[in-house]
Amino acid sequence: MLGRMTVVEKGPQGRRRGRGARERILSASEQLFRDQGINRTGMDQLCAVAQVSKRTAYQHFATKDELVAEYLRQFDPDVMPGVFDRTDLTPRERLLAAFELPESTPLCPYIAAAVELHDPEHPASQCARDYKIAFAARLTETAREAGAEDPEQLGEQLALLIDGASARSRVLNREAFSTAAAIAAVLIDNAIPPGATA
Amino acid sequence: MLGRMTVVEKGPQGRRRGRGARERILSASEQLFRDQGINRTGMDQLCAVAQVSKRTAYQHFATKDELVAEYLRQFDPDVMPGVFDRTDLTPRERLLAAFELPESTPLCPYIAAAVELHDPEHPASQCARDYKIAFAARLTETAREAGAEDPEQLGEQLALLIDGASARSRVLNREAFSTAAAIAAVLIDNAIPPGATA
């Protein structure tokens, strides 16, 4: 993405900026939506943080709804490649690695959007749903490689655990991923017969 | 509560109403917070739906934050008595019954509040946390009665599954409680040795 940024734009304060307005808006969205939520973040504040004029912002995103959807599309387009594309781990180890998130991991942005938007037909709610399905598919694929008896079932179960850990960490204000990882280990042991490929 | 309502109040349209203003405000909150969210619901709309004047509303709740906290306190003060106080089920059956929620169950209001409020010190976030801890304690208690080897662990694990099912149902826009129930059955079988009390 950065490689394509050849045009140097000026911010509202006339400063020359190295990154494109679109990228700055998305980066401001990521920060503000995470720290204060989607509904509490207005276009005025987004433009101020991104240092773009509202006119410029609306040239890139016709509506805030469109911006929210694009923010989610950009968030993790390859669905945790840092876990699922690791070749140094066995498939079974990759399944467990999906639960090793830093303690300070904020609430999953796809859950946050689905909760905040209150509309399953909103383009961002659709993105959130697509992501969650893609994430379960990644787990299913890995479970199949690991020799699970019913990889779809295990994939969907592990996906639910990740969502539970994320939501529960937010409500309790302390991490719940270790609880989810312990459940995952039980499920994986139950689903993968001894002597399977991994 | 209804038994204590002896004063008949007038709504803003002068109609005599059988229920107290406070109760009508809480009931309107429950409906609007569930259907459109906390942040999208203003005091004006709440007062219109509850048919009280803003002056009356602020006599009962000094701030919207206070109203949000009270709405959560009133939501399920006895923590699922319809499941945990059932004497016709064995403790093990009660653990599984906690997962039998109707398909149309809306997102858990405590998760919704924690997601929307973005402030762990908000009185409603504190209520949400207290509820989630009380809910896990109910599960732990029941797991102990059922003869679980480590009832605290099983209680916390089952609580995470419920949160996962609630969050995932919202994101996917289809119920995920049956997935959580299947995981719960595995965990319960693993945690409760054959020949335990239930």
Side-chain angles (χ1 to χ4, degrees):
Chain A
M1 187 97 191
L2 277 167
R4 289 200 281 110
M5 299 290 159
T6 47
V7 180
V8 175
E9 293 182 60
K10 287 184 181 185
Q13 288 143 47
R15 280 186 275 155
R16 293 169 71 85
R17 314 206 60 82
R19 291 193 303 159
R22 184 184 158 82
E23 200 191 330
R24 291 204 307 280
I25 297 164
L26 285 167
S27 156
S29 307
E30 201 171 310
Q31 179 206 320
L32 294 168
F33 293 165
R34 179 193 64 219
D35 293 348
Q36 61 188 32
I38 293 168
N39 291 333
R40 286 162 181 245
T41 301
M43 284 303 274
D44 285 332
Q45 191 186 7
L46 270 165
C47 290
V49 171
Q51 296 193 284
V52 299
S53 66
K54 279 189 93 166
R55 187 162 170 275
T56 301
Y58 283 111
Q59 276 165 357
H60 287 280
F61 303 99
T63 60
K64 184 182 155 192
D65 286 342
E66 203 180 283
L67 170 57
V68 177
E70 186 61 16
Y71 143 76
L72 285 187
R73 267 183 228 112
Q74 300 274 325
F75 193 84
D76 182 21
D78 300 323
V79 189
M80 287 180 82
V83 168
F84 293 113
D85 295 344
R86 278 181 72 168
T87 51
D88 59 322
L89 300 180
T90 65
R92 187 200 168 88
E93 286 167 340
R94 290 203 295 278
L95 290 176
L96 289 166
F99 292 82
E100 285 164 17
L101 290 165
E103 261 200 40
S104 57
T105 301
L107 177 68
C108 163
Y110 306 96
I111 294 177
V115 172
E116 284 212 72
L117 295 171
H118 268 266
D119 172 10
E121 302 312 317
H122 189 293
S125 303
Q126 181 64 58
C127 285
R129 205 150 55 231
D130 291 346
Y131 179 88
K132 289 295 175 185
I133 291 167
F135 182 70
R138 279 282 227 172
L139 289 164
T140 292
E141 217 175 274
T142 312
R144 184 171 290 117
E145 278 184 74
E149 278 164 359
D150 187 341
E152 276 81 13
Q153 185 187 56
L154 184 58
E156 186 61 26
Q157 290 181 341
L158 297 179
L160 184 143
L161 292 180
I162 295 273
D163 289 342
S166 191
R168 194 155 176 84
S169 295
R170 176 63 162 260
V171 186
L172 294 184
N173 199 32
R174 60 174 162 78
E175 78 81 32
F177 281 92
S178 54
T179 300
I183 304 173
V186 171
L187 297 179
I188 291 169
D189 282 346
N190 269 35
I192 303 177
T197 56
Chain B
M1 186 98 193
L2 276 167
R4 289 201 281 107
M5 299 289 161
T6 46
V7 181
V8 174
E9 294 182 58
K10 287 186 182 185
Q13 288 143 45
R15 279 186 275 155
R16 295 168 70 86
R17 313 205 62 79
R19 292 192 303 158
R22 185 184 157 83
E23 200 191 332
R24 292 204 309 278
I25 297 164
L26 285 168
S27 157
S29 307
E30 201 171 311
Q31 179 206 320
L32 294 169
F33 293 164
R34 179 193 63 219
D35 294 347
Q36 60 187 33
I38 294 167
N39 291 332
R40 287 162 179 244
T41 301
M43 284 303 273
D44 285 332
Q45 192 186 7
L46 270 165
C47 290
V49 171
Q51 296 193 282
V52 300
S53 66
K54 280 189 93 165
R55 187 162 171 275
T56 301
Y58 283 112
Q59 277 166 355
H60 288 281
F61 303 98
T63 60
K64 184 183 158 193
D65 286 342
E66 205 181 280
L67 170 58
V68 176
E70 187 61 16
Y71 142 77
L72 285 187
R73 266 183 228 112
Q74 300 275 327
F75 193 84
D76 182 21
D78 299 324
V79 189
M80 288 178 82
V83 168
F84 293 113
D85 295 344
R86 277 182 73 168
T87 50
D88 59 321
L89 300 180
T90 65
R92 187 199 169 87
E93 287 167 339
R94 291 203 296 277
L95 290 177
L96 288 166
F99 292 83
E100 284 164 18
L101 291 164
E103 261 200 40
S104 56
T105 301
L107 176 68
C108 162
Y110 306 96
I111 294 178
V115 172
E116 283 212 73
L117 295 171
H118 268 266
D119 172 10
E121 302 312 316
H122 188 292
S125 303
Q126 180 66 57
C127 285
R129 205 150 56 231
D130 291 347
Y131 180 87
K132 288 293 173 185
I133 291 168
F135 182 69
R138 279 282 226 172
L139 289 163
T140 292
E141 218 174 274
T142 312
R144 183 172 290 117
E145 277 184 75
E149 277 163 1
D150 186 341
E152 277 81 13
Q153 185 187 57
L154 184 58
E156 185 63 24
Q157 290 181 342
L158 298 179
L160 184 143
L161 292 180
I162 296 273
D163 289 342
S166 190
R168 194 157 177 84
S169 295
R170 175 62 163 260
V171 185
L172 294 184
N173 200 31
R174 60 176 162 77
E175 78 81 31
F177 281 93
S178 53
T179 300
I183 304 174
V186 171
L187 296 180
I188 292 169
D189 281 345
N190 269 35
I192 302 176
T197 56

